[in-house]
Amino acid sequence: MTGLRKNLGSVLLALLLAGGALPAHAGNQLYEPLAASAQAALHAAVADQAPLDPSFQRNPERARWLNEMSQRLAKRIPDEAYRSELLRTVHYEATRAGLDPQLVLGLVQVESGFKKYAVSTAGARGYMQVMPFWVKLIGNQETNLFHMRTNLRFGCTILRHYLDMEKGDLFRALGRYNGSLGKPEYPNLVRAAWENNWSYPSLRLAQNP
């Protein structure tokens, strides 16, 4: 069985490095009761609906980032306007949550292959494969996990929550996000996608909202 898992991991890694899409399978966060204070903080984090930065493309550094990422994503999402909206939203929600946008792009690639309406066998939904129980925990009746910004907002907020729980340990945080804490396959897939398909030289993008 161990050999089978290693072979499967090698096949998935090769597919990622080739730029191929994976089926929606990864999102399977496990329900864990939240302290009232944590639940309130997460609810506030996903409820904030400040508009995206309208000056994004007027910032030379961000415009350069958008152009570069758009070229990389073009084969998966041919519609340029929609592609630009997705990338701007990823950038905004990632930096808002204190995450590297490149990490989030790698996670989205592994989770859904950039398919907006992806649904896993466990019922996780959307780009970042968010489990529906999060809506009951920190959302409201109007929450639609297939809405682009809502899905990315929830996904980034949840990953940030897991990073805080694990005191910044990305390996363990990704394991929690996937529901496979302690196992290397999923964190390795996300890191491979991040480093091989979405790496970007500027660190400022991960620091400045």
Side-chain angles (χ1 to χ4, degrees), residues 18-141:
L22 296 175
H25 72 288
N28 190 25
Q29 302 103 5
L30 301 180
Y31 173 79
E32 297 177 87
L34 294 173
S37 58
Q39 187 171 356
L42 291 172
H43 174 75
V46 298
D48 177 15
Q49 291 299 315
L52 297 178
D53 182 2
S55 66
F56 190 98
Q57 289 174 279
R58 295 198 297 272
N59 180 303
E61 177 69 6
R62 293 181 178 179
R64 183 168 69 90
W65 177 88
L66 182 62
N67 181 65
E68 173 66 26
M69 294 304 111
S70 183
Q71 291 181 43
R72 298 186 196 185
L73 192 56
K75 288 184 179 180
R76 297 175 183 273
I77 302 178
D79 187 313
E80 184 177 0
Y82 186 77
R83 192 167 69 240
S84 176
E85 180 187 6
L86 174 61
L87 287 167
R88 289 175 61 244
T89 307
V90 166
H91 185 279
Y92 180 88
E93 296 300 339
T95 53
R96 179 181 180 276
L99 302 172
D100 189 331
Q102 315 311 119
L103 163 63
V104 174
L105 287 170
L107 187 147
V108 171
Q109 180 183 337
V110 171
E111 289 285 354
S112 66
F114 292 93
K115 295 179 175 64
K116 180 178 182 179
Y117 296 107
V119 179
S120 77
T121 55
R125 300 175 180 179
Y127 291 115
M128 295 187 74
Q129 290 291 275
V130 178
M131 291 293 284
F133 71 76
W134 284 105
V135 174
K136 295 181 180 179
L137 279 175
I138 60 176
N140 56 52
Q141 292 182 342

Side-chain angles (χ1 to χ4, degrees), residues 11-20 22 76 109-110 189-190 192-193 197:
V11 171
L12 292 175
L13 180 58
L15 183 58
L16 276 170
L17 295 179
L22 296 175
R76 297 175 183 273
Q109 180 183 337
V110 171
L189 285 174
V190 172
N197 296 318

